[in-house]
Amino acid sequence: MSWIDAVLQSQPGWGNMAIFFSLGLAMLGIGLGFVTFAILAERKVMGFMQLRHGPNRVGGRFGLLQSVADVLKLLLKEDTMPKLADKPLFVLAPMITYAPAFLVLAVIPFTPAFKFSDIGVGLLYYIAISGISTIGIVTAGWASNNKYALMGGMRAAAQMISYEIPLVMSVVGIILFTGSLNLYDIVLYQENIAFVFLQPVAFVIFLIAGTAELNRTPFDLPEAESELVAGYHVEYSGFRFAFFMLAEYVYLFALSALITVLFLGGWNAPIPGLGLNDIGLGAVWFTMKFIIVVFFFMWLRVTFPRLRADQLMEFGWKVLLPIALANIFLTAIIKELFF
């Protein structure tokens, strides 16, 4: 049992409150630290793949402080609001969008010792809480009193609901194998072989549906600048706009960590049987796998063009959903015959 579990099971008091507050700050620091350098890394990766330099002025030749400068710029920008906007909902929408992105980090087990919360239904918690962000995006589109923003919000609702179904169905095979919704137990099950080899179809479906849930290219229709000016956040400026971008990159962190846990074995060594599953190396293995997944999402953004709305919906309902159902059926047969 970790010391965090001991604190959670102890009697409430001021000491425990201080520890919970510190854990929350630590989680917030990890998320914000990742966002700061993920934005910079993505701009550098995109620059490299498009034969550009990327940021190279603020913070030396590598532009290490460019993200910090961008945050300061957003803080100093005028906070505008449409005259006929629904003001309470307009103010609340960015917070509704960001809060679930932060909350889902609580159940991600990074190493056997470093996990904020170990609950029995961690996977279900992640899926349920992450869906709340859709409400924030739709609220932003509605409250802006702008037809382009409303259209972007409705696209987001349709897209997230459509791709949430194959996303959930893709992990049913993992639940059948492990018999658990606990993310820690799922990692332990992969000590000898990762689920990317046992469930390759589910892995591909989860990657595609996860990209759609992130609203990233080629599924970034809710924020399509070519036909919607910007999308659901077109009327937002300053730090309220930053909250939407913050939510997107925190979700990138959370989804990449979840893929690492569900399909890549988490902190387990890539090659079992070589004595590399040392507890001290767990963080190294997790970080390496996590970075590869994040790089893949960045690579995807540079490579693919945006889909049309009808193509996106047809692909989700007519391709991913039937394949996910077939994968569940096949997994059940394999589980019954060989495991």
Side-chain angles (χ1 to χ4, degrees), residues 16-179:
N16 281 11
M17 247 173 128
I19 292 173
F20 290 146
F21 186 71
S22 301
L23 289 173
L25 284 179
M27 230 161 68
L28 183 63
I30 291 171
L32 293 179
F34 169 81
V35 170
T36 301
F37 288 100
I39 294 172
L40 174 66
E42 182 159 44
R43 293 173 71 179
K44 297 296 279 188
V45 168
M46 291 174 71
F48 174 76
M49 291 185 175
Q50 295 170 348
L51 301 180
R52 298 183 289 105
H53 290 292
N56 64 349
R57 290 290 182 268
V58 184
R61 60 177 294 193
F62 295 109
L64 295 178
L65 297 178
Q66 183 64 54
S67 296
V68 178
D70 290 339
V71 170
L72 291 174
K73 178 184 70 175
L74 287 171
L75 282 170
L76 296 173
K77 275 193 171 184
E78 182 184 2
D79 181 23
T80 61
M81 185 182 298
K83 184 178 179 180
L84 298 178
D86 188 323
K87 291 180 175 56
L89 290 179
F90 188 87
V91 172
L92 199 59
M95 292 181 275
I96 297 174
T97 304
Y98 171 70
F102 177 64
L103 290 173
V104 296
L105 298 180
V107 294
I108 302 292
F110 300 98
T111 69
F114 184 53
K115 57 185 187 296
F116 293 100
S117 179
D118 185 14
I119 61 176
V121 290
L123 180 56
L124 181 62
Y125 170 91
Y126 182 101
I127 293 167
I129 296 297
S130 63
I132 298 174
S133 288
T134 310
I135 299 173
I137 293 175
V138 175
T139 302
W142 167 262
S144 297
N145 193 38
N146 181 301
K147 61 183 179 182
Y148 297 112
L150 179 59
M151 196 177 298
M154 296 307 293
R155 278 185 178 183
Q159 176 173 318
M160 289 184 174
I161 291 170
S162 299
Y163 280 82
E164 190 83 25
I165 298 171
L167 183 82
V168 172
M169 288 190 168
S170 66
V171 300
V172 171
I174 293 175
I175 298 168
L176 287 173
F177 272 116
T178 60

Side-chain angles (χ1 to χ4, degrees), residues 280-292:
L281 291 174
V284 176
W285 298 130
F286 189 98
T287 304
M288 288 173 60
K289 297 171 186 177
F290 172 79
I291 290 173
I292 290 171

Side-chain angles (χ1 to χ4, degrees), residues 186-324:
I186 290 172
V187 176
L188 292 181
Y189 191 91
Q190 300 174 78
E191 188 173 359
N192 295 318
I193 182 168
F195 275 122
V196 69
F197 302 111
L198 290 175
Q199 290 280 287
V201 175
F203 175 66
V204 174
I205 294 171
F206 195 90
L207 267 181
I208 296 171
T211 307
E213 291 289 300
L214 288 174
N215 290 331
R216 289 176 64 88
T217 308
F219 303 107
D220 58 340
L221 275 80
E223 47 188 78
E225 70 280 354
S226 57
E227 67 265 28
L228 297 183
V229 186
Y232 60 89
H233 49 57
V234 65
E235 296 289 359
Y236 284 86
S237 63
F239 207 62
R240 296 191 208 281
F241 172 79
F243 262 100
F244 288 113
M245 294 300 99
L246 188 62
E248 179 180 327
Y249 278 92
V250 173
Y251 266 129
L252 175 63
F253 175 86
L255 187 69
S256 299
L258 186 66
I259 289 172
T260 304
V261 166
L262 290 179
F263 293 99
L264 304 182
W267 58 80
N268 290 312
I271 304 175
L274 297 181
L276 299 174
N277 266 339
D278 183 78
I279 294 176
L281 291 174
V284 176
W285 298 130
F286 189 98
T287 304
M288 288 173 60
K289 297 171 186 177
F290 172 79
I291 290 173
I292 290 171
V293 177
V294 171
F295 175 78
F296 174 80
F297 280 118
M298 294 177 180
W299 188 5
L300 208 63
R301 179 177 178 179
V302 184
T303 306
F304 286 96
R306 182 181 298 128
L307 295 176
R308 294 199 318 262
D310 61 308
Q311 292 173 331
L312 179 136
M313 299 302 288
E314 283 186 9
F315 185 70
W317 288 105
K318 295 183 179 179
V319 179
L320 287 188
L321 183 57
I323 294 176

